[in-house]
Amino acid sequence: MTTAEKEKPEPLVDLQRLVVSVRRRRRLWLATALAGLIAGGLVAMFLPSPPTAVAKILVVHADDSPSDSGTLMETDVAVMQTTKIAADALKKLNSTQPAEEFLKDYTALGVTNNVLQLTVKGKDNADAVARTQALADAFIAEYIARSQAAAAAEQKALLDQRNQAQTEIGTIQADIVTEEAKNRNANPAQLERLYSRRAELTSKISDYDGRAQEAGIGTPKVGAGTQIVDVPRILPRSVLKTTGTAGGIGLVLGLLLGLVLAAISSVVKDRPVLRRELSRHLGASVIAQLPKPPRWLRKARALEQRKRVATTLIRTISKEAGTVSLLDLGARATTAALAADIAAELAGKGPVALVDDLPKANLRALVGAGIRVLERDEPTAPGERRVGVGSIEPGTAWTNLEHLGAEAILVVRAGQANTEWLHTVARQLAERRIPVIGVVLVDPDPRDHTDGTLWDGLHTALRGRGVDVEAQERQVVVVERVVERVAEPVRAPEPVRAREPMPPRRPQPMFDRVPHPKPSGPPPRPVEMFPDDEPTVRRLAVAPPDPARQNSIQQKPVERVLEPAKDKKAARRRPPTPYKRPEDQENNADQPTKRFAPVSPDNAEAL
């Protein structure tokens, strides 16, 4: 496991682990789905649905129009499912069933804007047909009655308006007679107004009479057109179709229930199934994996894979001279068979003894000839390789693991133990100083591609055991030499020896010398960068060592002669730059920018 994976925060619910856990519990949700299928089929067979009759009613609307969106039919459906219609139908059937309960036995559906479908359940076929006919008759009678009542109400309103107009025209006629009786004193304007009002009322009375007669006729199309177009009939019932429908519904419900139960159990039980989780909780890397032991098929393939894993483990533990134990957690048969394969491979290199501490494994029946199976406390023969087989399931005696082997290989079945028990196993092994070489994962998820390798603990990891022993010994020798050299005492410094005079230089031949022109005039003076700012340089002269004083050179310091300081050359100073204030400068905005002189002690006060 890398550092990035360690620092990555762990989510509240790991979706990958949840999916893997649900997939591993496929027996649960497949069993619930099968139980739902069977339950649905049994319900359809032993509790069949009651007989159902269906009828279709043609409903003619007086206000129907092509632009109607179906609101009129929705109104008819709502009226059909009222207690008034149900009570009228029960009254025709002479039934004492409450109308509220009868509403649950039938449904209404608007097929088109003018066709209403009625579905009714009954105790038997005859009862279903009778109920359907009664409901259809009650709805048609109520619908026609509502239409006639609306027409009668309209006729009555028109007749009332006509009577009111006739009363008013009688009053106006009396006013006309009174005004005409005045002869010459009659008011012509008043008479004209009364004549106009009488004519208007006469016209309204005639209109009200015609409309009242039309309203009295009603809507004969509604009464004649609203009828049962499809007489009540029993719906044909197929046992196979009914059973299949009920079984399918039970299958879906059972599958959903199983998936929910599997997801909840995977979260509650907290059993790691991924390689990265097992390696993190156990503190050891997954070095091999084996499939679940098959029961009928693929036994040869499983045997080949197990032998290959046994060979890998032998390469891992053969370089060590100590004892090794195989500890089982949920895969007892696989652990016993793997131990037998390892013992059979090691038997070809020398004597091997298996220490059997695995209950209900029958290890003696799995090993061949030449391999001894011992109890936990039996001693081994000299030169005999010892391989222990034990268990770390709940109830394990932890003190017995030390007698099985100095190192351990854990054979763990995925999803067998919860996180708490895996931590307990790792802690108990660490307290007894039993290093774990690695983990052999049994029955892993085939779609698990997580990394089960820990990148710490090189001394117990598989890659640490593959390092060359000679290279390690050479490294240890180099380290010891470095430590010895560092541990040596510090020697006293040797006395300073007098410098021997150099031998005279031998003149070179003429043809090797290269003539150089001699410079004429005085030698050039070196350039000084900052003559005014440099401090006075003093040269230190060291007296030559005296051979007689070599023994006491460490006690007496070397005398140093300081040359007197040379006279400092007077520095050439520049005249101060006059300072002008902004108010003294006129029209300086149009002047070009000038470079200011450096600040000196002379113009500092002005600034």
Side-chain angles (χ1 to χ4, degrees):
M1 184 179 299
T2 59
T3 306
E5 292 179 354
K6 287 184 178 180
E7 296 179 355
K8 186 178 180 181
E10 186 175 357
L12 181 62
V13 178
D14 192 352
L15 296 180
Q16 183 180 7
R17 175 183 175 183
L18 181 63
V19 172
V20 173
S21 301
V22 171
R23 187 166 59 244
R24 289 179 62 85
R25 289 178 172 84
R26 54 183 173 271
R27 291 185 178 179
L28 174 61
W29 46 268
L30 287 178
T32 54
L34 181 61
L37 176 64
I38 296 175
L42 293 177
V43 168
M45 291 178 62
F46 295 99
L47 297 176
S49 60
T52 304
V54 62
K56 291 182 181 180
I57 304 173
L58 177 62
V59 182
V60 178
H61 301 100
D63 301 331
D64 197 1
S65 63
S67 61
D68 183 26
S69 59
T71 55
L72 297 176
M73 181 53 64
E74 291 179 359
T75 303
D76 296 336
V77 170
V79 171
M80 175 67 78
Q81 295 177 348
T82 56
T83 55
K84 183 178 183 302
I85 302 297
D88 293 343
L90 291 174
K91 188 180 295 184
K92 291 183 178 181
L93 294 172
N94 297 324
S95 176
T96 59
Q97 183 182 4
E100 291 79 5
E101 295 182 2
F102 185 43
L103 289 175
K104 302 177 183 179
D105 294 339
Y106 71 90
T107 58
L109 176 65
V111 180
T112 63
N113 290 345
N114 297 101
V115 177
L116 178 66
Q117 181 176 341
L118 186 63
T119 305
V120 186
K121 297 179 181 179
K123 298 179 181 179
D124 50 15
N125 296 340
D127 183 60
V129 172
R131 287 188 171 194
T132 306
Q133 185 67 38
L135 278 172
D137 293 341
F139 173 76
I140 294 174
E142 196 274 339
Y143 183 77
I144 294 175
R146 281 191 290 113
S147 178
Q148 292 178 356
E154 184 180 1
Q155 182 184 17
K156 182 178 181 303
L158 292 173
L159 292 177
D160 291 341
Q161 292 291 332
R162 186 200 63 179
N163 296 335
Q164 185 178 0
Q166 287 179 353
T167 303
E168 185 179 359
I169 200 173
T171 304
I172 292 174
Q173 184 66 29
D175 294 340
I176 291 173
V177 172
T178 304
E179 192 69 24
E180 288 179 350
K182 295 179 180 180
N183 298 325
R184 296 182 179 180
N185 295 330
N187 188 357
Q190 182 69 14
L191 288 173
E192 185 67 24
R193 184 178 63 82
L194 292 175
Y195 292 153
S196 299
R197 180 60 180 166
R198 185 179 62 179
E200 181 181 358
L201 290 176
T202 303
S203 176
K204 285 185 177 181
I205 291 172
S206 177
D207 184 33
Y208 288 150
D209 287 337
R211 291 172 59 185
Q213 291 178 2
E214 292 179 359
I217 297 174
T219 54
K221 294 182 179 180
V222 173
T226 303
Q227 59 183 346
I228 300 175
V229 293
D230 190 2
V231 296
R233 56 186 176 83
I234 298 297
L235 288 177
R237 184 177 57 179
S238 174
V239 178
L240 182 61
K241 183 178 180 180
T242 305
T243 306
T245 303
I249 295 173
L251 175 66
V252 174
L253 295 178
L255 181 61
L256 293 177
L257 179 62
L259 291 175
V260 171
L261 291 178
I264 293 175
S265 62
S266 63
V267 174
V268 172
K269 291 183 178 180
D270 190 19
R271 293 184 177 181
V273 294
L274 301 177
R275 285 197 293 266
R276 67 159 181 259
E277 295 180 341
L278 291 170
S279 61
R280 182 175 70 250
H281 297 315
L282 290 174
S285 301
V286 178
I287 59 178
Q289 63 183 21
L290 288 172
K292 184 180 179 181
R295 296 183 178 181
W296 298 287
L297 302 176
R298 298 183 179 179
K299 289 187 177 181
R301 183 178 180 182
L303 180 61
E304 181 182 357
Q305 292 181 356
R306 193 181 65 207
K307 288 184 177 181
R308 185 168 61 251
V309 171
T311 305
T312 303
L313 297 180
I314 289 172
R315 293 182 187 142
T316 305
I317 65 179
S318 61
K319 296 183 180 180
E320 302 293 333
T323 57
V324 179
S325 62
L326 270 71
L327 303 180
D328 165 66
L329 181 58
R332 185 180 295 109
T334 303
T335 305
L338 189 61
D341 293 341
I342 292 175
E345 293 288 339
L346 292 177
K349 303 178 182 179
V352 181
L354 285 178
V355 182
D356 186 8
D357 195 23
L358 186 62
K360 301 179 182 180
N362 195 11
L363 196 59
R364 298 180 183 273
L366 297 177
V367 299
I371 301 175
R372 295 200 307 159
V373 179
L374 309 177
E375 297 296 333
R376 182 178 64 250
D377 299 330
E378 292 186 20
T380 57
E384 191 175 32
R385 188 65 183 270
R386 179 173 178 148
V387 178
V389 184
S391 174
I392 51 175
E393 293 183 353
T396 301
W398 301 106
T399 55
N400 297 336
L401 300 180
E402 302 175 357
H403 303 283
L404 296 178
E407 295 180 335
I409 297 176
L410 306 183
V411 183
V412 182
R413 183 175 179 179
Q416 182 67 23
N418 55 15
T419 303
E420 184 179 359
W421 183 250
L422 295 179
H423 290 177
T424 302
V425 170
R427 184 174 63 253
Q428 293 291 344
L429 293 177
E431 289 179 355
R432 277 147 188 81
R433 300 182 182 277
I434 301 177
V436 180
I437 299 176
V439 179
V440 178
L441 186 60
V442 180
D443 190 18
D445 187 76
R447 300 181 183 179
D448 181 14
H449 302 290
T450 57
D451 186 12
T453 304
L454 296 180
W455 293 99
D456 50 2
L458 184 61
H459 60 288
T460 59
L462 183 61
R463 63 188 184 283
R465 304 177 66 85
V467 179
D468 190 3
V469 180
E470 296 180 0
Q472 292 181 351
E473 294 178 355
R474 289 196 299 268
Q475 186 177 4
V476 170
V477 171
V478 172
V479 173
E480 291 179 354
R481 290 180 181 177
V482 173
V483 172
E484 291 178 359
R485 183 173 297 178
V486 172
E488 290 182 358
V490 180
R491 299 179 182 179
E494 298 180 358
V496 180
R497 297 180 182 179
R499 186 176 181 181
E500 298 180 358
M502 296 181 62
R505 188 174 182 181
R506 187 175 59 182
Q508 296 181 359
M510 295 297 296
F511 54 83
D512 292 337
R513 295 181 181 181
V514 179
H516 297 281
K518 294 182 179 181
S520 60
R525 188 177 179 179
V527 180
E528 298 181 2
M529 298 297 295
F530 303 95
D532 299 339
D533 299 337
E534 291 185 354
T536 305
V537 180
R538 298 183 180 183
R539 299 181 180 178
L540 301 179
V542 182
D546 190 2
R549 299 172 61 186
Q550 291 180 357
N551 297 330
S552 60
I553 191 170
Q554 298 180 358
Q555 290 78 9
K556 294 182 179 182
V558 180
E559 296 181 359
R560 299 178 181 179
V561 180
L562 301 178
E563 295 181 0
K566 297 180 180 180
D567 296 337
K568 184 177 181 181
K569 186 178 180 180
R572 184 179 179 181
R573 296 182 178 179
R574 297 180 180 179
T577 303
Y579 176 77
K580 293 183 180 182
R581 298 185 180 276
E583 56 268 16
D584 299 339
Q585 299 180 4
E586 297 179 357
N587 300 327
N588 56 356
D590 299 334
Q591 296 179 3
T593 304
K594 297 180 180 181
R595 184 175 183 182
F596 294 95
V599 180
S600 62
D602 298 332
N603 58 4
E605 297 179 358
L607 295 175

